[in-house]
């Protein structure tokens, strides 16, 4: 329900075209309007977007252009992910882009994507982390005079702490976003659903719950005095 429906794919003598669902509402970019959104609303939107991306990823589809202007709202206020125009199909027979090419929107681009390296679901997770950052702070983390300069910031610079722009954001929620925006894909969450769940826990639960969500990866975590020990 949170992915824009394609009803038909066809062509005329001079072009290919999609017949798509008409989404009446405005984009998430316009909804943010350079101001932080209430965290409760951010949780609701991020959970639905994570569901949409998880569905795409389960079919081997990497969006590669997640950004707030590609997320629209229905008349009922439901977020809808649009524009799979540069999506990559992860299969041996599909070669939609070669290593070394760069496609996407610089402000939301994962470091490996900016360097023209192979992308996977963790690249979309990074972009969703940028959207989360934008929703809680009212701005994207990296801004510069040129797209190339923005991409270089993604590759080499840490993002400014989002609490710098929104002191009301819980520190635990900031930690979740920072993990999603790790330069190394292996240091991010494994799945978009884990990112959304960790953000929800960071806002609604204790710091201890967050620590477990961020760092406990071994199901058989060591028990000390009846409490699980987190493994960083």
């Amino acid at each position: 329900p949170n992915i824009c429906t394609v009803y038909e794919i066809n062509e005329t003598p001079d072009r290919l075209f999609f017949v798509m669902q008409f989404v009446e509402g405005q984009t998430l970019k316009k909804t943010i309007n350079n101001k932080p959104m209430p965290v409760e609303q951010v949780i609701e939107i991020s959970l639905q977007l994570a569901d949409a991306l998880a569905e795409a990823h389960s079919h081997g589809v990497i969006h590669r252009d997640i950004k707030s202007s590609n997320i629209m709202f229905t008349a009922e206020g439901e977020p809808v992910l649009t524009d799979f125009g540069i999506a990559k199909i992860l299969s041996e027979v599909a070669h939609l882009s070669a290593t070394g090419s760069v496609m996407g929107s610089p402000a939301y681009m994962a470091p490996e994507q900016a360097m023209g390296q192979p992308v996977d679901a963790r690249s979309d997770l990074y972009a969703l982390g940028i959207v989360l950052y934008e929703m809680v702070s009212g701005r994207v983390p990296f801004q510069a005079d040129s797209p190339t300069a923005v991409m270089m910031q993604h590759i080499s610079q840490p993002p400014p702490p989002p609490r710098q722009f929104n002191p009301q954001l819980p520190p635990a929620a900031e930690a979740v976003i920072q993990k999603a925006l790790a330069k190394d894909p292996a240091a991010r969450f494994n799945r978009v659903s884990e990112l959304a769940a960790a953000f929800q826990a960071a806002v609604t639960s204790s710091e201890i719950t967050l620590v477990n969500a961020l760092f406990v990866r071994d199901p058989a975590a060591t028990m000390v005095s009846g409490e699980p020990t987190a493994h960083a």
Side-chain angles (χ1 to χ4, degrees), residues 28-229:
L28 177 58
K29 185 77 171 180
K30 290 186 177 180
T31 301
I32 296 170
N33 194 26
N34 300 314
K35 295 178 291 187
M37 297 175 64
V39 289
E40 295 80 8
Q41 187 179 8
V42 174
I43 290 172
E44 183 177 356
I45 293 172
S46 62
L47 287 171
Q48 293 180 79
L49 292 176
D51 281 347
L53 277 174
E55 178 68 15
H57 294 165
S58 72
H59 293 281
V61 177
I62 309 303
H63 190 286
R64 297 201 300 180
D65 200 19
I66 304 297
K67 56 185 177 181
S68 57
S69 58
N70 276 346
I71 298 162
M72 300 187 68
F73 291 96
T74 66
E76 294 74 32
E78 299 295 320
V80 175
L81 182 58
T82 70
D83 201 352
F84 280 78
I86 63 168
K88 181 177 180 65
I89 311 300
L90 295 183
S91 71
E92 295 180 0
V93 297
H95 302 283
L96 300 185
S97 65
T99 300
S101 65
V102 177
M103 302 181 70
S105 300
Y108 302 82
M109 192 177 291
E112 63 274 15
Q113 190 173 355
M115 291 187 287
Q117 297 176 352
V119 299
D120 59 25
R122 295 170 299 181
S123 306
D124 278 352
L125 188 150
Y126 181 96
L128 182 59
I130 297 288
V131 172
L132 263 177
Y133 187 111
E134 187 178 8
M135 286 193 286
V136 301
S137 69
R139 50 160 284 167
V140 292
F142 299 118
Q143 300 180 0
D145 293 334
S146 70
T148 301
V150 172
M151 288 191 290
M152 291 304 300
Q153 288 177 335
H154 281 289
I155 294 169
S156 61
Q157 294 186 20
R163 295 185 75 247
Q164 175 179 326
F165 309 107
N166 179 9
Q168 302 304 314
L169 181 69
E174 179 177 80
V176 170
I177 295 173
Q178 289 173 326
K179 180 177 175 66
L181 300 185
K183 305 299 184 189
D184 181 1
R188 301 170 199 156
F189 295 94
N190 290 324
R191 299 176 180 85
V192 288
S193 57
E194 293 178 7
L195 165 58
F199 184 81
Q200 182 180 34
V203 174
T204 61
S205 303
S206 67
E207 293 286 340
I208 294 177
T209 300
L210 173 69
V211 169
N212 288 333
L214 288 178
F215 298 114
V216 175
R217 292 183 176 273
D218 183 359
T222 304
M223 300 296 290
V224 179
S225 300
E227 295 295 332
T229 299

